[in-house]
Amino acid sequence: MSDMKESLLALRDRFDKEIEQIKDSDAAEKMRVAYLGKKGSLTQVLRGMGGLTPEERPEVGKVANDVRTHMEEFLEQVTNQIKTFESSKKLEREKIDVTLPYKFNGAGARHPLNMAINEICDIFLGLGYSIGEGPEVEYDKYNFELLRIPEGHPARDTQDTFYINDNILLRTQTSGMQIRIMEQTKPPIKVICPGKVYRSDALDSTHSPVFHQIEGLVVDKGVTMGDLVGSLRLFAKKLFGDNTEIRLRPHHFPFTEPSVEVDLTCWSCGGCGCRVCKNEGWIEVLGAGMVHPEVLSNCGIDPEVYSGFAFGIGVERTAMGRYGIDDIRLLYENDVRFLEQFK
Ligand code: PHE
């Protein structure tokens, strides 16, 4: 019997020494298996209990239990310490030093094109217009067909674009929004639609294959050319100052009748003639006209009851005039030295 007791106590001493060396939770788990597992040393010693007399058994049993409890408690304690230590190490490793100085790149500013769009939209919002938006990838029928530009129409040559397939293209004008809006809304309609448009033009100082327009559309009973002229005159004065006048020149757009091109008093010379306006005193900024009766009926609006006007403002040209920019390419190059000037 004393043999068994001794080997239990010896096992305990060995355990105590070994556990001192433990450095991580893996090693602790290995020790648990080695001593307390099914094939562990303690279990092996206890197998010998069968050879004991019934008198000896309780006494040895008690020692065995004490040793097991001792081992279990000790292991748990050490495992907990190791876990705490390991997680604090982990936190230490993952620490972020928020006091590190960083390089300040400077606050950005609104792009001059967006400034112009905002300025123009603000003016029309003040006149009671709402703002609409539509897709840049557009169906042929909205960009051309329902605007009275059928296949083979010469306007398709001057507005050549990028085709996704036979029916889908990158829109060449925001005028398709006239159709989309009239299909969806009953008059009275009073809306402007800013957006990007595309044409397969080469890039030079005044042309870009991607540019911006703002479409305006008003449809109601009794809308006249006089309303169009009044609205555009107000717009010109609000944007470029009280001395700005507008000049209408007869023109042709398939979807308006009559149609006009609208010039504004040159913002550079005030109308006397200079390099910017090529000595004209005027600068062309938009196209406009009375919505063609066929376009109204294409959208289910009775042209005998309703009439309307539409206009399309070139944003780039307006922005260039408004902010004194002499090359359209500057607007797309995103050179900070240029953009910084608009802070
Ligand atoms: N969409 C025409 C263009 O891009 C401009 C326009 C708009 C003309 C609305 C009349 C009415 O040239």
Side-chain angles (χ1 to χ4, degrees):
M1 163 180 123
S2 56
D3 271 5
M4 264 197 83
K5 246 172 139 179
E6 249 162 47
S7 42
L8 281 168
L9 294 176
L11 196 60
R12 193 183 119 146
D13 283 348
R14 181 144 68 81
F15 174 90
D16 285 354
K17 280 205 188 91
E18 218 172 289
I19 203 159
E20 299 272 302
Q21 314 297 321
I22 293 288
K23 293 213 167 58
D24 58 54
S25 38
D26 276 359
E29 176 58 16
K30 274 201 189 113
M31 258 196 89
R32 198 188 58 75
V33 174
Y35 282 88
L36 299 165
K38 265 197 194 130
K39 292 179 185 159
S41 326
L42 183 62
T43 322
Q44 305 272 348
V45 176
L46 293 181
R47 286 233 170 87
M49 292 258 302
L52 296 178
T53 63
E55 293 78 38
E56 291 168 335
R57 225 172 264 166
E59 203 185 321
V60 177
K62 187 178 175 306
V63 177
N65 269 338
D66 285 351
V67 170
R68 179 203 299 281
T69 315
H70 170 80
M71 288 179 176
E72 284 172 352
E73 284 177 2
F74 211 153
L75 267 171
E76 186 179 298
Q77 197 189 326
V78 167
T79 312
N80 284 342
Q81 280 171 2
I82 289 173
K83 283 212 175 113
T84 316
F85 176 73
E86 282 176 352
S87 74
S88 70
K89 271 273 173 230
K90 186 160 179 260
L91 286 179
E92 184 77 17
R93 248 185 286 123
E94 291 172 355
K95 199 166 77 177
I96 297 169
D97 184 356
V98 291
T99 65
L100 262 183
Y102 74 101
K103 203 173 140 245
F104 183 62
N105 284 325
R110 196 159 270 155
H111 192 279
L113 280 174
N114 285 327
M115 282 168 56
I117 290 172
N118 287 352
E119 271 198 84
I120 297 169
C121 287
D122 265 357
I123 293 173
F124 286 104
L125 282 172
L127 293 173
Y129 288 67
S130 53
I131 297 184
E133 256 183 296
E136 290 165 25
V137 181
E138 183 59 289
Y139 289 108
D140 182 286
K141 65 169 181 171
Y142 289 123
N143 195 75
F144 290 133
E145 199 74 35
L146 295 172
L147 289 169
R148 303 183 70 254
I149 311 172
E151 220 170 292
H153 192 287
R156 293 210 182 206
D157 287 339
T158 51
Q159 296 195 12
D160 192 18
T161 182
F162 308 89
Y163 284 82
I164 312 295
N165 61 34
D166 281 351
N167 295 318
I168 301 176
L169 43 80
L170 297 188
R171 65 178 177 192
T172 60
Q173 49 185 350
T174 44
S175 293
M177 287 305 293
Q178 293 180 31
I179 309 288
R180 284 184 171 272
I181 283 160
M182 285 193 284
E183 275 184 353
Q184 285 160 19
T185 335
K186 295 262 150 301
I189 293 168
K190 210 171 172 188
V191 66
I192 44 167
C193 306
K196 271 197 194 85
V197 299
Y198 302 80
R199 292 187 195 177
S200 57
D201 289 340
L203 185 67
D204 63 28
S205 65
T206 52
H207 294 88
S208 159
V210 187
F211 58 104
H212 298 74
Q213 289 186 333
I214 297 181
E215 192 79 13
L217 175 70
V218 174
V219 182
D220 203 350
K221 288 177 183 158
V223 174
T224 69
M225 193 91 183
D227 298 316
L228 170 63
V229 173
S231 306
L232 292 181
R233 179 177 287 143
L234 199 69
F235 155 74
K237 289 182 184 296
K238 289 235 179 210
L239 195 62
F240 288 103
D242 257 351
N243 293 330
T244 309
E245 277 305 331
I246 62 170
R247 178 178 79 169
L248 310 190
R249 280 176 292 106
H251 195 72
H252 171 76
F253 295 108
F255 42 93
T256 46
E257 178 60 34
S259 303
V260 287
E261 275 190 326
V262 183
D263 302 333
L264 266 51
T265 312
C266 175
W267 39 70
S268 187
C269 61
C272 335
C274 68
R275 200 173 55 90
V276 174
C277 59
K278 301 198 183 84
N279 273 326
E280 287 270 330
W282 299 95
I283 294 179
E284 184 216 321
V285 168
L286 55 106
M290 300 305 291
V291 181
H292 196 290
E294 265 181 38
V295 173
L296 290 175
S297 34
N298 279 347
C299 305
I301 294 176
D302 185 352
E304 299 293 331
V305 181
Y306 292 101
S307 58
F309 65 75
F311 55 86
I313 303 171
V315 176
E316 272 73 359
R317 190 165 292 187
T318 313
M320 289 165 77
R322 185 80 179 81
Y323 312 124
I325 300 163
D326 59 7
D327 191 319
I328 201 171
R329 289 168 289 202
L330 289 167
L331 291 169
Y332 310 116
E333 284 165 355
N334 286 331
D335 186 328
V336 280
R337 290 167 302 180
F338 169 74
L339 296 174
E340 248 170 13
Q341 300 172 40
F342 300 92
K343 267 192 193 162

